[in-house]
Amino acid sequence: MRGNREPRLPSLAAIQAFEAAARLGGFEPAGKELGVTASAIGKRITTLEAQLDTVLFLRGRRGGTLTAAGREYLEQVRSALGQLSAATLKARVEPPTELLRVVSTPTFARQVLIPYLPEFTDAHPQVDLEILFSVPYLEISPPNADLWIRFGNGQYPGLQVEKLTHDEVFAVCTPAYQQRHGPFAQPQDLARAALLRCPMEPWRPWFDRAGLDWPEPTKGVWLVDLGMVLAAAHAGQGVALTRQTLAAEWLNDGKLIRLFDVSSHGDLQYYLCHEQRRPLQRGARAFAAWIADVCARIARR
């Protein structure tokens, strides 16, 4: 049924012929500009008029003059051609975007990536960054990422690995918790404190460095995420083990205080990883350099 057909759009050649003839005042100069004959210009405009069922030009020996409908259509055509030209220019001059998928542990993303992220996005607007979470304790990680920020021992077969942190582990609490349950002048004073526990940051190595022959705590709040342990300490729920990379902001603000001049070596650190068989694109290389610099700056605080 003819009435249900989609209207057929005029060809760009016909529209350009019409606009050129109207602007230059005739079919012949329009043909010279577009590299065709005046007859070809006339035929294209005739086809356009047939499609529109409207007379656009009153023909004369030199080509024709615009009708009222032609003048109205010319305004619309010029607007459309201007938008098309602007879109083409924009597509040509704007650099293509690069999708970069980064998988991070939640704690590192919250404490390090997010606070500093505007540095990277402002410097690299062409990178479309996606940040996804992994769960290190359960070894759950989204597939098909470009980069992984992992917390572990650095032994990841098939991955190119760059060590981001060299953190020592130390004890912290809030000033208010120290006031209520302290003083904590010596490590053994922690006997009257609630020790926040996390399987990824055990207390026993720190006890050994502090000269305490204590077993790993078996009572108290047990949390499977380093960020939750840090948040619990920040909420005044006890003493936690943490590291400079994660706690720097709260330590600098005085919301957490370090207890004792005792630290243990962190056997687990943060690593930036990517697949060895896949070369990094420009955005991924820029991100790798940037996050390494951020970690180095935090370590120097």
Side-chain angles (χ1 to χ4, degrees), residues 111-260:
Q111 301 298 121
V112 181
L113 275 184
I114 301 306
Y116 288 87
L117 197 56
E119 292 182 2
F120 180 80
T121 54
D122 289 349
H124 302 279
Q126 79 282 4
V127 177
D128 285 337
L129 184 62
E130 290 185 5
I131 298 179
L132 309 174
F133 282 168
S134 62
V135 184
Y137 180 67
L138 300 178
E139 297 186 356
I140 298 174
S141 182
N144 304 322
D146 300 295
L147 296 169
W148 287 267
I149 297 172
R150 304 186 66 166
F151 183 72
N153 59 14
Q155 303 301 313
Y156 305 115
L159 296 182
Q160 185 73 32
V161 175
E162 178 183 356
K163 195 172 187 178
L164 293 175
T165 62
H166 300 79
D167 284 325
E168 297 284 314
V169 178
F170 48 87
V172 297
C173 69
T174 62
Y177 190 87
Q178 161 91 305
Q179 273 191 334
R180 287 199 312 271
H181 301 279
F184 301 130
Q186 303 175 67
Q188 52 265 39
D189 293 337
L190 292 183
R192 56 177 175 271
L195 302 182
L196 301 170
R197 301 180 298 140
C198 178
M200 302 174 69
E201 203 80 277
W203 276 94
R204 187 57 193 269
W206 188 89
F207 288 161
D208 290 344
R209 290 297 301 268
L212 299 175
D213 188 18
W214 293 359
E216 187 68 27
T218 57
K219 294 183 180 180
V221 178
W222 189 81
L223 302 159
V224 299
D225 177 73
L226 294 175
M228 289 194 293
V229 173
L230 194 59
H234 180 250
Q237 296 175 15
V239 177
L241 289 177
T242 190
R243 45 190 67 210
Q244 174 75 9
T245 300
L246 303 182
E249 181 180 355
W250 288 344
L251 289 167
N252 291 342
D253 292 343
K255 295 176 181 177
L256 289 176
I257 56 173
R258 178 172 176 169
L259 301 176
F260 325 115

Side-chain angles (χ1 to χ4, degrees), residues 16 33 93 104 127 172 197 217 236 254-255 273 280:
Q16 287 177 315
E33 180 176 281
V93 300
S104 172
V127 177
V172 297
R197 301 180 298 140
K255 295 176 181 177
C273 312
L280 291 180

Side-chain angles (χ1 to χ4, degrees), residues 25 28 81 110 127 144 193 212 234 262 287:
E28 188 171 339
L81 289 175
R110 188 184 308 112
V127 177
N144 304 322
L212 299 175
H234 180 250
V262 177
F287 184 91

